[in-house]
Amino acid sequence: MTGVTFTIDPGAATPPYEQLRSQIAARARSGGLPAGYRLPTVRGLAGELGLAANTVAKAYRTLEADGVIETRGRNGTFVAASGGAASRQAAAAALEYAQRAHRLGLDREAALEAAGEAVRAVYDGT
């Protein structure tokens, strides 16, 4: 159906919607899914992967909120043209964190340490 395949491991600890979300996001970042690429419908992809439509819809909603994809009404869902959206959103979140840490009275080193621990926890799974 899609020309691009996604795989879901039902035995994985990662939920299926997150497996799908991360695959689409990674391929969009790498150019494997170029800007403007039309993604399959929620129902179509759900049927192809053997998932509930709500599972695919959740992945699409998260990707849209992150600026990776955009829905154009009845025209479909497409990989967003702006490749820098994720970087801009990450920079905005980092600025918000830094401002809040400062308001809480953390010094620079404590703020950096807290941020580093959070990044390690997410990326290393610790």
Side-chain angles (χ1 to χ4, degrees):
M1 170 190 273
T2 65
V4 175
T5 57
F6 302 105
T7 56
I8 302 299
D9 178 0
T14 305
Y17 87 89
E18 176 58 23
Q19 292 179 50
L20 180 60
R21 187 214 57 80
S22 66
Q23 288 177 54
I24 293 171
R27 290 184 192 174
R29 276 192 309 275
S30 73
L33 290 175
Y37 179 86
R38 185 176 183 177
L39 293 166
T41 64
V42 167
R43 287 185 184 185
L45 188 54
E48 187 177 319
L49 296 174
L51 297 173
N54 284 341
T55 300
V56 175
K58 184 175 183 179
Y60 277 19
R61 280 192 307 272
T62 304
L63 288 161
E64 189 164 23
D66 290 345
V68 176
I69 65 173
E70 58 189 16
T71 301
R72 300 179 192 161
R74 293 187 178 265
N75 292 321
T77 302
F78 298 83
V79 174
S82 175
S87 293
R88 284 191 305 278
Q89 288 185 25
L95 178 60
E96 184 178 326
Y97 165 76
Q99 290 169 338
R100 184 162 187 200
H102 185 39
R103 282 192 310 270
L104 291 170
L106 295 178
D107 65 21
R108 180 187 194 103
E109 290 305 313
L112 287 170
E113 180 60 29
E117 287 297 321
V119 168
R120 279 188 289 281
V122 169
Y123 284 87
D124 299 340
T126 58

